[in-house]
Amino acid sequence: MITMSPDVTLAGKIPAIIVFGDSSVDAGNNNYIPTVARSNFEPYGRDFVGGKPTGRFCNGKIATDFMSEAIGLKPIIPAYLDPSYNITDFATGVTFASAATGYDNATSDVLSVLPLWKQLEYYKEYQTKLKAYQGSDRATETIENSLYLISIGTNDFIENYFAFPGGRSSQYSVDRYQDFLAGIARDFVKKLHGLGARKISLGGLVPMGCMPLERATNFGTGGECVGRFNDIAVQFNGKLEKLVTRLSKELPGSILVFSNPYEPFMKIIKNPSSFGFDVAAAACCATGMFEMGYSCQRNNPFTCTNADKYVFWDSFHPTQKTHQIMANFLMNSTFSHFL
């Protein structure tokens, strides 16, 4: 396991990490809303502190937890809706993310999870609580100096566009749908900036065609990655990158960075052994091909014993070790911009 020693120089400059997005960065918000998109049961969390499931779609910690720890803040970023935490915890980091959501409201409707606009509403509520807790001046300082991470978009394609033939795919070509999503991303970043955020990282998509779920259903290719989905991820990332360049000129006093996980993730998938992995095509949980959420059952005899040997934990989500490697990469490539 890679160790990430706390960087005290960063901690002084970044008082908190504020997170928006989907299951890649949800630490358990979905436990507190009526949805089936949950992971607050075993074997999820088996390698987390105390071996307990938290609602993270992982066997342990996720990338944002590692980032928080690495900049000298707390070792985990708590979920805003988790009643066991309050503003004293959230003052140094909080996630509003909701598994199975997307930029598109129609994506969040599929499994009744928090749409992106609702996450922003919760953030406004958070600001009010922060001002009451820290005082107006200090809270304004915290808001301006905090690091804002956005990680979302995969579900818009996998769970929505390609899942419902009569839905968005009948309204938009893939290219136009990407433009539609990028427009929502633009509006979201502008609203965040309007609320005081100045250090914003907009995350891109991973090679979604290489998720075990997609490989398992890619019949006739021997379980290869689905090239079309990977091409879409690359194309959409290109649009987001251009968007960030444009917004950087539009939004005064802001540092906007496009954080692209595609290439580093693809390196892990293509050369798993060089990162200490044995398996990249199948996941640790159950058969490793189709299961996630409730189908990733505690007593499944096929579940692997050592998740550190697997790139993926379930058919959709990476293991703690993969999250840590990705966090390390993003710390080195992205965070330097915010100093």
Side-chain angles (χ1 to χ4, degrees):
M1 191 63 84
I2 303 160
T3 53
M4 296 173 78
S5 52
D7 187 329
V8 281
T9 56
L10 273 167
K13 297 187 177 183
I14 297 174
I17 297 179
I18 316 288
V19 187
F20 301 91
D22 57 22
S23 59
S24 58
V25 287
D26 182 1
N29 283 312
N30 279 16
N31 301 353
Y32 306 99
I33 59 171
T35 178
V36 295
R38 288 186 183 178
S39 59
N40 56 336
F41 43 84
E42 296 176 350
Y44 287 95
R46 73 179 195 191
D47 298 309
F48 197 79
V49 182
K52 62 172 198 263
T54 59
R56 288 168 176 79
F57 279 76
C58 189
N59 58 304
K61 290 164 75 169
I62 54 178
T64 40
D65 296 321
F66 289 116
M67 290 173 183
S68 174
E69 189 170 29
I71 64 169
L73 296 171
K74 291 184 178 156
I76 62 162
I77 294 182
Y80 184 66
L81 297 182
D82 187 336
S84 58
Y85 297 97
N86 59 39
I87 193 62
T88 58
D89 306 292
F90 300 145
T92 55
V94 59
T95 178
F96 300 95
S98 180
T101 200
Y103 285 112
D104 186 354
N105 288 338
T107 305
S108 57
D109 288 346
V110 175
L111 292 174
S112 306
V113 296
L114 302 177
L116 199 50
W117 66 264
K118 184 65 177 175
Q119 294 184 32
L120 198 67
E121 289 301 307
Y122 280 132
Y123 172 65
K124 290 177 189 171
E125 184 182 278
Y126 162 80
Q127 282 198 349
T128 305
K129 290 177 182 175
L130 190 70
K131 283 170 184 168
Y133 172 63
Q134 291 187 336
S136 187
D137 291 352
R138 189 175 162 211
T140 300
E141 213 170 284
T142 299
I143 288 160
E144 282 188 3
N145 291 314
S146 288
L147 177 56
Y148 294 81
L149 303 178
I150 304 161
S151 176
I152 195 167
T154 305
N155 297 318
D156 289 305
F157 297 98
I158 302 292
E159 261 189 44
N160 181 357
Y161 189 88
F162 290 106
F164 300 103
R168 291 301 195 201
S169 56
S170 64
Q171 298 171 280
Y172 298 98
S173 66
V174 173
D175 189 57
R176 290 298 303 278
Y177 188 59
Q178 290 179 356
D179 292 338
F180 169 70
L181 298 178
I184 297 168
R186 180 195 63 229
D187 293 345
F188 183 79
V189 170
K190 285 175 119 171
K191 282 174 185 167
L192 208 48
H193 180 269
L195 290 166
R198 292 296 177 267
K199 299 174 180 177
I200 303 169
S201 164
L202 182 63
L205 303 187
V206 296
M208 54 190 181
C210 292
M211 291 170 177
L213 181 68
E214 302 311 325
R215 290 171 86 138
T217 48
N218 196 15
F219 303 117
T221 66
E224 290 295 308
C225 296
V226 182
R228 185 185 180 203
F229 285 166
N230 285 351
D231 292 344
I232 288 167
V234 170
Q235 193 183 3
F236 187 55
N237 286 347
K239 289 181 191 264
L240 291 180
E241 191 165 18
K242 283 179 186 161
L243 169 67
V244 166
T245 305
R246 282 200 308 275
L247 285 174
S248 295
K249 293 170 187 163
E250 278 179 45
L251 303 176
S254 63
I255 305 170
L256 294 181
V257 176
F258 175 63
S259 187
N260 192 349
Y262 188 94
E263 284 305 328
F265 207 103
M266 191 55 113
K267 276 182 189 164
I268 296 170
I269 286 162
K270 283 185 174 169
N271 293 297
S273 58
S274 61
F275 295 90
F277 295 110
D278 291 343
V279 185
C284 167
C285 190
T287 65
M289 291 153 78
F290 305 102
E291 296 86 359
M292 67 175 147
Y294 285 110
S295 59
C296 175
Q297 291 292 348
R298 175 185 178 182
N299 299 322
N300 193 295
F302 295 107
T303 297
C304 79
T305 50
N306 182 5
D308 282 355
K309 294 294 178 186
Y310 285 73
V311 174
F312 288 92
W313 165 248
D314 66 17
S315 66
F316 212 81
H317 304 100
T319 55
Q320 172 175 260
K321 182 176 172 182
T322 307
H323 271 286
Q324 191 163 20
I325 294 168
M326 292 302 294
N328 228 3
F329 167 79
L330 295 169
M331 288 288 299
N332 294 329
S333 65
T334 303
F335 278 43
S336 55
H337 295 281
F338 297 109
L339 290 177

